[in-house]
Amino acid sequence: MSEERLNPLLLCFEGRSPFANRMAEQGDFEEVPVGLHRFPDGESLVRVDARLAGRHCVVFCSLRSPDEILFPLLSVAYTARELGALSVGLVAPYLAYMRQDKRFHSGEAVSARPFAHLISNHFDYLVTVDPHLHRYHRLDALYRIPATVVSAVPLMADWIRRNIEKPLLVGPDQESLQWVGAAAELANAPFILLEKTRHGDEDVDVKLPEVANWRERTPVLIDDILSTGNTMSKTVRGLIAEGFAPPVCLAVHAVFAGQAEALLTEAGAARLVTANSIAHPTNAVDLCDPVLHALREHLKTRR
Ligand code: R5P
């Protein structure tokens, strides 16, 4: 058998995600752990203990806490190429830095752009799940490499159908229409959108529309990113104040920064449910199959 026919290598940062282990089990990959050493001065050193020459390599790395992992990630890609990898792709189920897609104040970085530039310089292709596409409508407006966006919506809609009897889907802001509208159609449920005003990192206000017709339904909040939890907790409080049953909070990316979980529980959320793009105890929607499918499509073009 020639080396090019060997299964692709799936390079995974040790301990960062059970998702990668599932992918390796289900796909035809050889899983290789990436060793990550932190020196006392904060520098890092990566090591891949496998022969990479002549192999297609896929690096799996979800990008929560991106500043911690970005240099090791780029370093792995650089080293794989230096050691003769045929191709180096990136599977990043959560893609960071998509929300700073505009210069909100003079002199600020539009972080989505330098981040995309670095990733595009080091990888041949990208597979991700529901990146926060707001002012940029497509990833190829930012990324110079082929990029596949996997949608978590069908799986989230399926979760709703199986678990909630009479749901009312709730989007916390107008941009959530892309997820909420599609999920509502698939789950055959009505939806409402709120108006959100963000005053700061942890300071948001939401305004509910007229909800009188829906009070007998269970609200299911849907958002792409659950970060500090302020958006969802304000929404939960607003709905409970309007006489709704405790809402279910459903998010794609379980960032859970700071005290998000406590904030949502105190606000009265009945249940927190997330997809597994970021490993978290609330994961209940498994993205492995569609991500694997997208990855296989990229790899087909490289055989
Ligand atoms: C931003 O517009 C996103 O879609 C989310 O609504 C936002 O990231 C949630 O952030 P937080 O949980 O910090 O309110």
Side-chain angles (χ1 to χ4, degrees):
M1 194 193 264
S2 83
E3 278 197 325
E4 290 196 27
R5 296 236 177 95
L6 292 174
N7 286 340
L9 298 175
L10 189 63
L11 312 183
C12 312
F13 284 89
E14 275 178 330
R16 265 189 85 93
S17 173
F19 192 140
N21 310 128
R22 296 234 316 106
M23 278 185 53
E25 273 165 31
Q26 291 188 14
D28 308 320
F29 301 102
E30 201 178 306
E31 190 177 0
V32 178
V34 175
L36 173 58
H37 177 72
R38 300 270 182 200
F39 289 100
D41 61 1
E43 289 186 1
S44 60
L45 174 67
V46 294
R47 178 162 188 241
V48 182
D49 193 11
R51 190 175 143 74
L52 304 181
R55 303 293 293 270
H56 290 289
C57 293
V58 180
V59 182
F60 181 98
C61 188
S62 208
L63 290 165
R64 195 207 184 281
S65 309
D67 293 10
E68 256 173 42
I69 201 70
L70 185 63
F71 179 71
L73 176 67
L74 300 182
S75 199
V76 169
Y78 189 97
T79 306
R81 233 180 269 286
E82 217 175 35
L83 294 177
L86 292 176
S87 66
V88 188
L90 173 63
V91 174
Y94 172 61
L95 190 60
Y97 277 116
M98 291 297 292
R99 284 171 292 174
Q100 181 73 19
D101 58 354
K102 173 185 160 179
R103 208 177 316 283
F104 294 93
H105 303 100
S106 64
E108 272 180 1
V110 182
S111 311
R113 298 207 285 248
F115 194 79
H117 179 77
L118 288 170
I119 298 289
S120 301
N121 275 351
H122 286 79
F123 291 92
D124 295 311
Y125 58 90
L126 166 68
V127 175
T128 190
V129 180
D130 289 317
H132 186 81
L133 292 168
H134 180 192
R135 276 159 280 255
Y136 284 96
H137 298 292
R138 295 168 52 101
L139 267 193
D140 58 15
L142 281 166
Y143 284 75
R144 286 180 281 103
I145 49 176
T148 303
V149 170
V150 170
S151 170
V153 166
L155 292 167
M156 298 208 305
D158 188 50
W159 186 91
I160 295 168
R161 272 198 309 267
R162 284 185 290 106
N163 292 279
I164 313 289
E165 209 177 316
K166 282 179 78 186
L168 168 68
L169 275 46
V170 181
D173 50 31
Q174 300 300 312
E175 66 215 63
S176 65
L177 174 64
Q178 54 187 306
W179 301 284
V180 180
E185 202 176 320
L186 291 170
N188 196 20
F191 73 94
I192 55 169
L193 292 182
L194 278 59
E195 265 173 48
K196 175 166 89 178
T197 312
R198 185 173 282 286
H199 307 289
D201 293 349
E202 307 211 17
D203 186 7
V204 295
D205 283 324
V206 292
K207 197 169 143 217
L208 269 72
E210 179 51 57
V211 289
N213 289 341
W214 309 116
R215 282 204 186 87
E216 84 291 0
R217 288 182 169 260
T218 303
V220 181
L221 280 50
I222 300 192
D223 209 353
D224 58 340
I225 302 170
L226 197 169
S227 183
T228 66
N230 279 283
T231 302
M232 281 209 176
S233 65
K234 283 279 170 69
T235 309
V236 166
R237 284 184 194 280
L239 289 162
I240 289 176
E242 282 288 338
F244 280 92
V248 172
C249 297
L250 181 52
V252 182
H253 306 296
V255 170
F256 283 100
Q259 301 305 308
E261 222 168 328
L263 206 63
L264 284 158
T265 311
E266 278 161 28
R271 186 167 174 192
L272 311 181
V273 176
T274 59
N276 58 350
S277 59
I278 298 170
H280 191 268
T282 56
N283 290 168
V285 174
D286 184 10
L287 297 162
C288 190
D289 284 349
V291 167
L292 206 47
H293 176 77
L295 174 57
R296 284 193 177 118
E297 292 299 306
H298 280 284
L299 286 165
K300 265 189 211 163
T301 66
R302 297 179 182 275
R303 290 261 160 170

